[in-house]
Each structure stands twice: as structure tokens, then as C-alpha cells.
mmCIF file of all heavy atoms in Angstrom:
data_model
loop_
_atom_site.group_PDB
_atom_site.id
_atom_site.type_symbol
_atom_site.label_atom_id
_atom_site.label_comp_id
_atom_site.label_asym_id
_atom_site.label_seq_id
_atom_site.Cartn_x
_atom_site.Cartn_y
_atom_site.Cartn_z
ATOM 1 N N PHE A 1 -36.073 69.983 52.476
ATOM 2 C CA PHE A 1 -37.137 70.066 51.402
ATOM 3 C C PHE A 1 -38.200 69.125 51.704
ATOM 4 O O PHE A 1 -38.013 68.200 52.461
ATOM 5 C CB PHE A 1 -36.517 69.849 50.005
ATOM 6 C CG PHE A 1 -35.723 68.682 49.763
ATOM 7 C CD1 PHE A 1 -36.274 67.398 49.535
ATOM 8 C CD2 PHE A 1 -34.264 68.743 49.683
ATOM 9 C CE1 PHE A 1 -35.572 66.249 49.328
ATOM 10 C CE2 PHE A 1 -33.542 67.599 49.518
ATOM 11 C CZ PHE A 1 -34.183 66.383 49.327
ATOM 12 N N ARG A 2 -39.346 69.367 51.126
ATOM 13 C CA ARG A 2 -40.489 68.503 51.331
ATOM 14 C C ARG A 2 -40.681 67.678 50.052
ATOM 15 O O ARG A 2 -40.705 68.186 48.916
ATOM 16 C CB ARG A 2 -41.741 69.324 51.674
ATOM 17 C CG ARG A 2 -43.032 68.430 51.642
ATOM 18 C CD ARG A 2 -44.247 69.196 51.900
ATOM 19 N NE ARG A 2 -44.328 69.768 53.221
ATOM 20 C CZ ARG A 2 -44.693 69.002 54.351
ATOM 21 N NH1 ARG A 2 -45.119 67.834 54.254
ATOM 22 N NH2 ARG A 2 -44.801 69.627 55.560
ATOM 23 N N LEU A 3 -40.793 66.348 50.156
ATOM 24 C CA LEU A 3 -40.998 65.518 48.960
ATOM 25 C C LEU A 3 -42.551 65.243 48.936
ATOM 26 O O LEU A 3 -43.125 65.065 49.960
ATOM 27 C CB LEU A 3 -40.260 64.187 49.158
ATOM 28 C CG LEU A 3 -38.794 64.235 49.041
ATOM 29 C CD1 LEU A 3 -38.146 63.047 49.667
ATOM 30 C CD2 LEU A 3 -38.407 64.442 47.631
ATOM 31 N N MET A 4 -43.047 65.288 47.789
ATOM 32 C CA MET A 4 -44.488 64.967 47.500
ATOM 33 C C MET A 4 -44.546 63.794 46.560
ATOM 34 O O MET A 4 -43.745 63.772 45.511
ATOM 35 C CB MET A 4 -45.158 66.139 46.848
ATOM 36 C CG MET A 4 -44.951 67.462 47.536
ATOM 37 S SD MET A 4 -45.969 67.767 48.930
ATOM 38 C CE MET A 4 -47.552 67.969 48.178
ATOM 39 N N TRP A 5 -45.559 62.898 46.624
ATOM 40 C CA TRP A 5 -45.709 61.864 45.666
ATOM 41 C C TRP A 5 -47.154 61.461 45.590
ATOM 42 O O TRP A 5 -47.850 61.703 46.535
ATOM 43 C CB TRP A 5 -44.775 60.646 45.998
ATOM 44 C CG TRP A 5 -45.002 59.985 47.305
ATOM 45 C CD1 TRP A 5 -45.919 59.123 47.622
ATOM 46 C CD2 TRP A 5 -44.362 60.327 48.553
ATOM 47 N NE1 TRP A 5 -45.920 58.736 48.890
ATOM 48 C CE2 TRP A 5 -44.934 59.453 49.562
ATOM 49 C CE3 TRP A 5 -43.325 61.222 48.932
ATOM 50 C CZ2 TRP A 5 -44.453 59.471 50.874
ATOM 51 C CZ3 TRP A 5 -42.968 61.280 50.245
ATOM 52 C CH2 TRP A 5 -43.499 60.358 51.196
ATOM 53 N N PRO A 6 -47.555 60.784 44.535
ATOM 54 C CA PRO A 6 -49.040 60.419 44.418
ATOM 55 C C PRO A 6 -49.265 59.313 45.381
ATOM 56 O O PRO A 6 -48.402 58.491 45.794
ATOM 57 C CB PRO A 6 -49.134 59.914 42.943
ATOM 58 C CG PRO A 6 -47.697 59.641 42.449
ATOM 59 C CD PRO A 6 -46.808 60.545 43.311
ATOM 60 N N GLN A 7 -50.479 59.149 45.681
ATOM 61 C CA GLN A 7 -50.999 58.154 46.687
ATOM 62 C C GLN A 7 -50.969 56.791 45.889
ATOM 63 O O GLN A 7 -51.703 56.535 45.013
ATOM 64 C CB GLN A 7 -52.468 58.381 47.095
ATOM 65 C CG GLN A 7 -53.059 57.322 47.933
ATOM 66 C CD GLN A 7 -52.994 57.626 49.349
ATOM 67 O OE1 GLN A 7 -53.362 58.725 49.785
ATOM 68 N NE2 GLN A 7 -52.506 56.749 50.183
ATOM 69 N N LEU A 8 -49.943 55.955 46.193
ATOM 70 C CA LEU A 8 -49.834 54.641 45.557
ATOM 71 C C LEU A 8 -50.248 53.569 46.435
ATOM 72 O O LEU A 8 -50.865 52.639 46.011
ATOM 73 C CB LEU A 8 -48.380 54.335 45.264
ATOM 74 C CG LEU A 8 -47.660 55.379 44.271
ATOM 75 C CD1 LEU A 8 -46.223 55.005 44.160
ATOM 76 C CD2 LEU A 8 -48.293 55.383 42.933
ATOM 77 N N LEU A 9 -50.051 53.654 47.754
ATOM 78 C CA LEU A 9 -50.379 52.645 48.794
ATOM 79 C C LEU A 9 -51.413 53.271 49.735
ATOM 80 O O LEU A 9 -51.779 54.413 49.587
ATOM 81 C CB LEU A 9 -49.115 52.268 49.523
ATOM 82 C CG LEU A 9 -47.850 51.921 48.790
ATOM 83 C CD1 LEU A 9 -46.728 51.670 49.701
ATOM 84 C CD2 LEU A 9 -48.140 50.686 48.023
ATOM 85 N N SER A 10 -51.849 52.423 50.571
ATOM 86 C CA SER A 10 -52.688 52.901 51.625
ATOM 87 C C SER A 10 -52.107 52.407 52.973
ATOM 88 O O SER A 10 -51.161 51.515 52.901
ATOM 89 C CB SER A 10 -54.193 52.375 51.588
ATOM 90 O OG SER A 10 -54.238 51.053 51.799
ATOM 91 N N GLN A 11 -52.658 52.767 54.109
ATOM 92 C CA GLN A 11 -52.124 52.317 55.349
ATOM 93 C C GLN A 11 -52.142 50.728 55.486
ATOM 94 O O GLN A 11 -51.255 50.130 56.038
ATOM 95 C CB GLN A 11 -53.119 52.787 56.499
ATOM 96 C CG GLN A 11 -52.658 52.552 57.882
ATOM 97 C CD GLN A 11 -51.774 53.687 58.366
ATOM 98 O OE1 GLN A 11 -51.983 54.879 58.094
ATOM 99 N NE2 GLN A 11 -50.664 53.316 58.955
ATOM 100 N N GLU A 12 -53.039 50.108 54.770
ATOM 101 C CA GLU A 12 -53.168 48.618 54.825
ATOM 102 C C GLU A 12 -52.256 47.928 53.847
ATOM 103 O O GLU A 12 -51.844 46.775 54.080
ATOM 104 C CB GLU A 12 -54.570 48.178 54.586
ATOM 105 C CG GLU A 12 -55.639 48.522 55.596
ATOM 106 C CD GLU A 12 -56.000 49.990 55.575
ATOM 107 O OE1 GLU A 12 -56.262 50.554 54.499
ATOM 108 O OE2 GLU A 12 -55.856 50.710 56.669
ATOM 109 N N THR A 13 -51.956 48.575 52.654
ATOM 110 C CA THR A 13 -51.230 47.839 51.637
ATOM 111 C C THR A 13 -49.797 47.901 51.636
ATOM 112 O O THR A 13 -49.227 47.379 50.688
ATOM 113 C CB THR A 13 -51.858 48.272 50.280
ATOM 114 O OG1 THR A 13 -51.606 49.661 50.085
ATOM 115 C CG2 THR A 13 -53.311 48.040 50.106
ATOM 116 N N GLY A 14 -49.229 48.662 52.522
ATOM 117 C CA GLY A 14 -47.719 48.612 52.556
ATOM 118 C C GLY A 14 -47.122 49.968 53.163
ATOM 119 O O GLY A 14 -47.822 50.621 53.770
ATOM 120 N N TYR A 15 -45.910 50.135 52.790
ATOM 121 C CA TYR A 15 -45.159 51.269 53.287
ATOM 122 C C TYR A 15 -44.193 51.732 52.259
ATOM 123 O O TYR A 15 -43.953 50.988 51.243
ATOM 124 C CB TYR A 15 -44.527 50.978 54.615
ATOM 125 C CG TYR A 15 -43.433 49.979 54.546
ATOM 126 C CD1 TYR A 15 -42.138 50.229 54.377
ATOM 127 C CD2 TYR A 15 -43.780 48.549 54.747
ATOM 128 C CE1 TYR A 15 -41.113 49.299 54.289
ATOM 129 C CE2 TYR A 15 -42.785 47.598 54.695
ATOM 130 C CZ TYR A 15 -41.558 47.940 54.429
ATOM 131 O OH TYR A 15 -40.480 46.976 54.361
ATOM 132 N N TYR A 16 -43.613 52.914 52.446
ATOM 133 C CA TYR A 16 -42.539 53.376 51.594
ATOM 134 C C TYR A 16 -41.209 53.396 52.215
ATOM 135 O O TYR A 16 -41.102 53.756 53.376
ATOM 136 C CB TYR A 16 -42.802 54.854 51.151
ATOM 137 C CG TYR A 16 -44.208 55.025 50.493
ATOM 138 C CD1 TYR A 16 -45.282 55.519 51.155
ATOM 139 C CD2 TYR A 16 -44.314 54.777 49.074
ATOM 140 C CE1 TYR A 16 -46.544 55.688 50.513
ATOM 141 C CE2 TYR A 16 -45.440 55.011 48.445
ATOM 142 C CZ TYR A 16 -46.585 55.490 49.146
ATOM 143 O OH TYR A 16 -47.718 55.736 48.477
ATOM 144 N N THR A 17 -40.212 52.947 51.448
ATOM 145 C CA THR A 17 -38.803 53.124 51.898
ATOM 146 C C THR A 17 -38.229 54.389 51.100
ATOM 147 O O THR A 17 -38.319 54.415 49.858
ATOM 148 C CB THR A 17 -37.987 51.932 51.700
ATOM 149 O OG1 THR A 17 -38.445 50.846 52.417
ATOM 150 C CG2 THR A 17 -36.523 52.127 52.167
ATOM 151 N N LEU A 18 -37.692 55.262 51.883
ATOM 152 C CA LEU A 18 -37.135 56.490 51.149
ATOM 153 C C LEU A 18 -35.663 56.501 51.395
ATOM 154 O O LEU A 18 -35.250 56.327 52.475
ATOM 155 C CB LEU A 18 -37.789 57.742 51.784
ATOM 156 C CG LEU A 18 -37.470 59.004 51.074
ATOM 157 C CD1 LEU A 18 -38.472 59.172 49.835
ATOM 158 C CD2 LEU A 18 -37.642 60.154 51.945
ATOM 159 N N GLU A 19 -34.905 56.549 50.283
ATOM 160 C CA GLU A 19 -33.429 56.596 50.346
ATOM 161 C C GLU A 19 -32.963 57.902 49.789
ATOM 162 O O GLU A 19 -33.451 58.284 48.661
ATOM 163 C CB GLU A 19 -32.850 55.445 49.569
ATOM 164 C CG GLU A 19 -33.257 54.067 50.096
ATOM 165 C CD GLU A 19 -32.691 52.969 49.319
ATOM 166 O OE1 GLU A 19 -32.108 53.168 48.164
ATOM 167 O OE2 GLU A 19 -32.648 51.765 49.809
ATOM 168 N N TYR A 20 -31.982 58.494 50.429
ATOM 169 C CA TYR A 20 -31.487 59.751 49.886
ATOM 170 C C TYR A 20 -29.999 59.808 50.280
ATOM 171 O O TYR A 20 -29.596 59.485 51.321
ATOM 172 C CB TYR A 20 -32.315 60.982 50.303
ATOM 173 C CG TYR A 20 -32.327 61.237 51.823
ATOM 174 C CD1 TYR A 20 -31.539 62.197 52.401
ATOM 175 C CD2 TYR A 20 -33.199 60.430 52.661
ATOM 176 C CE1 TYR A 20 -31.573 62.455 53.733
ATOM 177 C CE2 TYR A 20 -33.158 60.711 53.940
ATOM 178 C CZ TYR A 20 -32.406 61.743 54.531
ATOM 179 O OH TYR A 20 -32.497 61.947 55.908
ATOM 180 N N ALA A 21 -29.211 60.536 49.345
ATOM 181 C CA ALA A 21 -27.846 60.695 49.535
ATOM 182 C C ALA A 21 -27.348 61.794 48.576
ATOM 183 O O ALA A 21 -27.913 62.010 47.518
ATOM 184 C CB ALA A 21 -27.027 59.504 49.206
ATOM 185 N N PRO A 22 -26.272 62.470 49.004
ATOM 186 C CA PRO A 22 -25.748 63.511 48.052
ATOM 187 C C PRO A 22 -25.251 62.835 46.833
ATOM 188 O O PRO A 22 -24.580 61.718 46.996
ATOM 189 C CB PRO A 22 -24.541 64.053 48.915
ATOM 190 C CG PRO A 22 -24.769 63.663 50.349
ATOM 191 C CD PRO A 22 -25.544 62.469 50.285
ATOM 192 N N THR A 23 -25.449 63.381 45.662
ATOM 193 C CA THR A 23 -25.011 62.671 44.411
ATOM 194 C C THR A 23 -23.526 62.491 44.307
ATOM 195 O O THR A 23 -22.993 61.527 43.724
ATOM 196 C CB THR A 23 -25.477 63.460 43.159
ATOM 197 O OG1 THR A 23 -25.066 64.858 43.337
ATOM 198 C CG2 THR A 23 -26.919 63.369 42.925
ATOM 199 N N ASP A 24 -22.728 63.320 45.031
ATOM 200 C CA ASP A 24 -21.280 63.152 44.924
ATOM 201 C C ASP A 24 -20.710 62.317 46.088
ATOM 202 O O ASP A 24 -19.571 62.060 46.150
ATOM 203 C CB ASP A 24 -20.565 64.496 44.929
ATOM 204 C CG ASP A 24 -20.932 65.323 46.215
ATOM 205 O OD1 ASP A 24 -21.697 64.813 47.040
ATOM 206 O OD2 ASP A 24 -20.387 66.547 46.318
ATOM 207 N N ASP A 25 -21.626 61.700 46.879
ATOM 208 C CA ASP A 25 -21.169 60.855 47.937
ATOM 209 C C ASP A 25 -22.263 59.871 48.316
ATOM 210 O O ASP A 25 -22.850 59.925 49.349
ATOM 211 C CB ASP A 25 -20.847 61.683 49.186
ATOM 212 C CG ASP A 25 -20.148 60.835 50.304
ATOM 213 O OD1 ASP A 25 -19.889 59.657 50.057
ATOM 214 O OD2 ASP A 25 -19.783 61.449 51.343
ATOM 215 N N LEU A 26 -22.643 58.945 47.349
ATOM 216 C CA LEU A 26 -23.684 58.050 47.497
ATOM 217 C C LEU A 26 -23.585 57.066 48.610
ATOM 218 O O LEU A 26 -24.508 56.497 49.149
ATOM 219 C CB LEU A 26 -24.068 57.333 46.071
ATOM 220 C CG LEU A 26 -24.491 58.284 45.075
ATOM 221 C CD1 LEU A 26 -24.604 57.524 43.717
ATOM 222 C CD2 LEU A 26 -25.761 58.886 45.427
ATOM 223 N N ALA A 27 -22.349 56.926 49.115
ATOM 224 C CA ALA A 27 -22.059 56.034 50.280
ATOM 225 C C ALA A 27 -22.709 56.554 51.539
ATOM 226 O O ALA A 27 -22.960 55.822 52.493
ATOM 227 C CB ALA A 27 -20.593 55.852 50.482
ATOM 228 N N ARG A 28 -23.027 57.944 51.481
ATOM 229 C CA ARG A 28 -23.658 58.447 52.743
ATOM 230 C C ARG A 28 -25.170 58.390 52.723
ATOM 231 O O ARG A 28 -25.888 59.283 53.138
ATOM 232 C CB ARG A 28 -23.165 60.043 52.880
ATOM 233 C CG ARG A 28 -21.734 60.066 53.248
ATOM 234 C CD ARG A 28 -21.364 61.405 53.907
ATOM 235 N NE ARG A 28 -22.378 62.344 54.268
ATOM 236 C CZ ARG A 28 -22.384 63.597 53.750
ATOM 237 N NH1 ARG A 28 -21.578 64.026 52.838
ATOM 238 N NH2 ARG A 28 -23.354 64.373 54.222
#
């Protein structure tokens, strides 16, 4: 799937960390 989000940062002001896991196995 494609995730979309509003522009919060710019190239200069930081980066995003994206975390994802199956809800029934958050250890993965």
C-alpha cells in the first residue's frame, strides 16, 4: 500500500521514521 501524509518537514528540517508491523505480531 501507499502511505500519504501532509508536508510537515522539508529536506532541511528533518526526516521521517516510519515503523510498521502486523497488529497481531508487533515484534515483527
Side-chain angles (χ1 to χ4, degrees):
F1 51 80
R2 176 182 288 280
L3 289 163
M4 313 274 290
W5 61 86
Q7 175 99 49
L8 301 173
L9 307 173
S10 69
Q11 191 81 45
E12 292 74 49
T13 58
Y15 62 92
Y16 299 100
T17 298
L18 191 82
E19 298 179 344
Y20 60 103
T23 47
D24 58 1
D25 189 1
L26 294 173
R28 292 201 7 240

